[in-house]
Amino acid sequence: MLFLLLVFTMAEDTGEIGTMQFFKTLVMMLFTTLGFCFYTGALAAETLSEDLFTHKIQPLFDNRCLACHSCFNAPCQLNLQNFDGFARGANKFNVYDGTRSKSVEPSRIWIDAKSTKEWRAKGFFTVHNSIEPEKNIFFQVLNLRAINTSSVKAQVHESQVCAANSEELNAMKSAQPQLGMPYGLPALHEGELETIKAWISKGAPGPSMDADKKAHSIPTKLQPQVEIWEKYFNQNELKQKLVSRYLFEHLFLAHIYFPEEPRTFLRLIRSKNPCNKPDEIATRRPNDDPGVKKFYYCFVKFPGTIVSKTHLPYELSHQKLARFKELFDQKWDVQTLPSYESGVAENPFVAFQDIPVKLRYQFLLDDAQYHVATFIKGPVCNGTMAVNSIQEQFYTFFLNPDSDNMVLSRDYEKQAAPLLALPGKFGSDVEFTSAPIDLKRITDYREAYRLLRSKELIKNRPDGYTLNDIWNGDEKNNNAALTIFRHDQNAVVMKGAVGDLSKTVFVLDYPLFERLVYNLVVNFDVFGNLGHQLLTRVYMDMIRMEAEELFLRFLPPEERLQYRRTWYQGILTSAKMEYIFPPVGAGEPTGVRFTKGTQTKRQMVEKILFYRMNEKVRGEIDDINWKKVTPPASSGLKVNATGLNKEFRKISSIAAESSSPFARYFPDVAFVMVKGKDQTRVFSLIHNKEHENVSWITAESLRMSPKEDTLTVREGYWAYYPNMIFQVPEKELPAFTSFITRIKNEQGYEALVDKWGVRRQNPHFWSAYDELQKVYLDYDRINAGYIDLTRYSL
């Protein structure tokens, strides 16, 4: 357009100038303009080639490496979520060593060191030791897989081997060639290897300055909102300082996003500097003393690629800010701020006693799914410590804030607070010899609290809890009913009552909810010693039993102990329960009316879902899995599965007894990609492994009840560590489900995998994985992240 305008202007101004001269000038301008265009294009191409990392290498890392190399469970901590991780390199130290006698220094990427030099001082070694690909550790490990495609016999977490130098690399190539990367999966194809090779030869350069700045900078579009939030967090009034500390300790793990750009994620940090130049304070825990008199709460860009196992999205918006102000700007006062001393900082009932309990509880309830998910993904990205103390599937409801003892009585709150001491008060180094004494102390506090709570409940509710004492989501919040599914060493939290009637049920009040957050998230140190980890795990047992006990208080007193016995089977377990968790309030009445002669647990769940909650709160009917849960006739609702759901219903919620044992042969979780003509829909197929009890840390395999195992099927991505991917053309889905119902043994399941499964060594594995990831991003842009393959079936 500019060129035509210039031509038109020249034509008007030619005047006496001859036509020939005009066209000579016109041709010169044309070539000059074209030359400029060609130059600009060449310059752009050159710039593109200079930023090889951003345009070629990081996408390769994302699609082929992040399946294993992210978070602490990455082999040798080699994290490839961005260039910082590659430059940091690897470390042979096992973060998840639960036997260490002393705590170790944290090694959180982007937090615990700010330069490659600092990481070297922490024991991390480079994987880019040479610009010659033939000598380069990183390239040679990739190339090793290309030339040795033999299958592997151990999972990734069992093969924490890496080469720190050329000598170790040569030894590994000779003795353990199966350790080539991607571990146990198809090798990178020739073009991908050539791309890595060319990058290595150039010195493995990082992203361009512009790309690096973009990766670490908050987009201009979001800066006004970020400034508003930073101003909110950094007000000088004591009241706001306390609120900001409380919010930070609950949001420090969050991947914060704004609706305007839902795939741009931020972190909330404490900074030594003002937020225009943030400098993160790297404490072990978010409630540790920051070590400086003046600090700032700031937002920083999350600089790496998102992976599902650590992804905890939390939305901030104008509406959320208004909600925070509605909650915390009410009339209450702060005289002095709490210290960060032991006995205060790790006990939220002491540290935040000036904030009214109802406000704190309502904050948790507003986003209950997020807060419960932090227990599972937590600061560790591997939920072993928490999840081996819970059942495979259970519903969770919440006590109405207006029914909570702590909300109802300030005097009761003051009596209860010191009894709610948590294991975090003993720090990251708990001497093994003192652990039993510390545990006894914590247990005594807990038992005193249980008695106090029961007496207060009798005073407040002499006739027992009623249905109205269950939180109904204020008739609009769908966080009021949650379901937790455990997948071996990890778990997932879903909204609604998903899956058939669960074996156990939680009801959380404020003290239970807050203790879960502080025991498993805020106070827990994955770098702590054996004693610290042991106390954390045992206290989780206590919380689980209290949450189950609170649900039982809604049932008829004559049935409570019987339910408890079915949840805790075994002679030793029964004795343990009588000793460490004797019944309290088992004979007190309930205000809920039940029909005699039918299952009261089932009745209570149905009353909560269909009489206490509306459809917006409880979510859609689970027409695939509900077989024991039945909507009342008066509701006009029916469990009526159609389409794909009808097919999956044929295999869901069927006990793995002798006539239908198929469920017990499935892995923890599989993704089923149902490929239709116009779209691919993904369903999670979850194996619920039933237990006689979950009361012990070890020997879990001796306490299984396989005849009670079932499958739950749910559309969507409800796992972060899948064990198998099935690809099923939609027209073959009836054959797929029919095949499953006929599985009688391991060989039957292997035949299913042979027909529809995608094994690790399948040459088309990566195309299936790529499609799975693409559909994930299309299906759920906020929650989508790269899926982990460290537990994929061998």
Side-chain angles (χ1 to χ4, degrees), residues 142-153:
L142 292 173
N143 195 54
L144 183 60
R145 188 64 188 158
I147 61 178
N148 188 312
T149 58
S150 59
S151 60
V152 299
K153 297 180 181 180

Side-chain angles (χ1 to χ4, degrees), residues 388-439:
N388 68 357
S389 62
I390 59 176
Q391 295 284 351
E392 296 277 317
Q393 176 243 354
F394 58 95
Y395 301 154
T396 298
F397 305 109
F398 302 91
L399 198 67
N400 192 330
D402 291 328
S403 305
D404 194 294
N405 287 345
M406 272 199 170
V407 174
L408 295 172
S409 171
R410 179 68 170 169
D411 288 339
Y412 169 80
E413 178 195 351
K414 291 180 179 179
Q415 293 179 64
L419 301 178
L420 296 173
L422 293 157
K425 71 178 292 183
F426 302 114
S428 297
D429 284 292
V430 178
E431 292 296 331
F432 192 71
T433 54
S434 67
I437 300 172
D438 296 335
L439 177 60

Side-chain angles (χ1 to χ4, degrees), residues 598-614:
T598 59
Q599 295 184 16
T600 53
K601 179 183 74 173
R602 172 180 172 178
Q603 286 188 60
M604 185 64 200
V605 168
E606 291 175 350
K607 286 176 183 292
I608 293 172
L609 293 176
F610 301 108
Y611 293 112
R612 184 63 180 145
M613 297 178 180
N614 60 32

Side-chain angles (χ1 to χ4, degrees), residues 398-602:
F398 302 91
L399 198 67
N400 192 330
D402 291 328
S403 305
D404 194 294
N405 287 345
M406 272 199 170
V407 174
L408 295 172
S409 171
R410 179 68 170 169
D411 288 339
Y412 169 80
E413 178 195 351
K414 291 180 179 179
Q415 293 179 64
L419 301 178
L420 296 173
L422 293 157
K425 71 178 292 183
F426 302 114
S428 297
D429 284 292
V430 178
E431 292 296 331
F432 192 71
T433 54
S434 67
I437 300 172
D438 296 335
L439 177 60
K440 177 66 165 58
R441 194 180 310 165
I442 290 291
T443 302
D444 289 344
Y445 279 143
R446 195 277 311 267
E447 288 307 296
Y449 167 72
R450 286 179 68 213
L451 291 172
L452 178 67
R453 187 190 184 286
S454 184
K455 291 178 182 178
E456 188 72 10
L457 176 60
I458 294 170
K459 183 175 73 175
N460 293 330
R461 294 285 192 277
D463 297 324
Y465 282 127
T466 69
L467 188 60
N468 288 337
D469 291 314
I470 295 291
W471 183 52
N472 69 348
D474 302 321
E475 299 186 346
K476 60 184 179 182
N477 190 328
N478 62 359
N479 283 274
L482 303 176
T483 305
I484 290 87
F485 283 90
R486 175 187 169 188
H487 316 311
D488 187 28
Q489 296 179 347
N490 206 265
V492 69
V493 186
M494 304 184 195
K495 291 180 179 178
V498 182
D500 208 8
L501 184 67
S502 58
K503 184 176 183 177
T504 63
V505 182
F506 278 16
V507 171
L508 300 179
D509 59 6
Y510 171 67
L512 279 168
F513 203 167
E514 197 75 279
R515 276 183 290 161
L516 276 168
V517 173
Y518 274 78
N519 183 52
L520 296 178
V521 184
V522 180
N523 291 340
F524 180 64
D525 180 13
V526 69
F527 301 97
N529 77 338
L530 169 62
H532 168 74
Q533 299 192 38
L534 179 64
L535 289 183
T536 301
R537 167 60 173 80
V538 173
Y539 199 82
M540 174 59 201
D541 266 346
M542 299 178 184
I543 294 175
R544 182 197 65 245
M545 290 184 285
E546 283 187 60
E548 293 167 344
E549 180 180 61
L550 186 50
F551 171 76
L552 291 175
R553 292 297 289 254
F554 286 85
L555 304 188
E558 64 272 16
E559 297 191 27
R560 293 170 189 165
L561 290 182
Q562 182 57 40
Y563 273 115
R564 198 173 100 149
R565 292 190 188 104
T566 64
W567 297 346
Y568 295 92
Q569 299 175 42
I571 297 175
L572 288 177
T573 302
S574 297
K576 176 183 176 181
M577 289 293 291
E578 290 298 321
Y579 177 69
I580 70 164
F581 201 80
V584 171
E588 300 301 329
T590 178
V592 182
R593 295 186 177 183
F594 296 93
T595 302
K596 292 185 178 180
T598 59
Q599 295 184 16
T600 53
K601 179 183 74 173
R602 172 180 172 178

Side-chain angles (χ1 to χ4, degrees), residues 720-749:
Y720 318 116
Y721 297 84
N723 305 104
M724 179 54 61
I725 298 170
F726 292 102
Q727 290 186 313
V728 184
E730 187 173 336
K731 63 182 179 181
E732 295 182 21
L733 186 60
F736 177 74
T737 55
S738 178
F739 196 111
I740 290 175
T741 61
R742 298 194 302 273
I743 293 175
K744 302 295 183 182
N745 49 39
E746 289 281 359
Q747 290 75 22
Y749 172 74

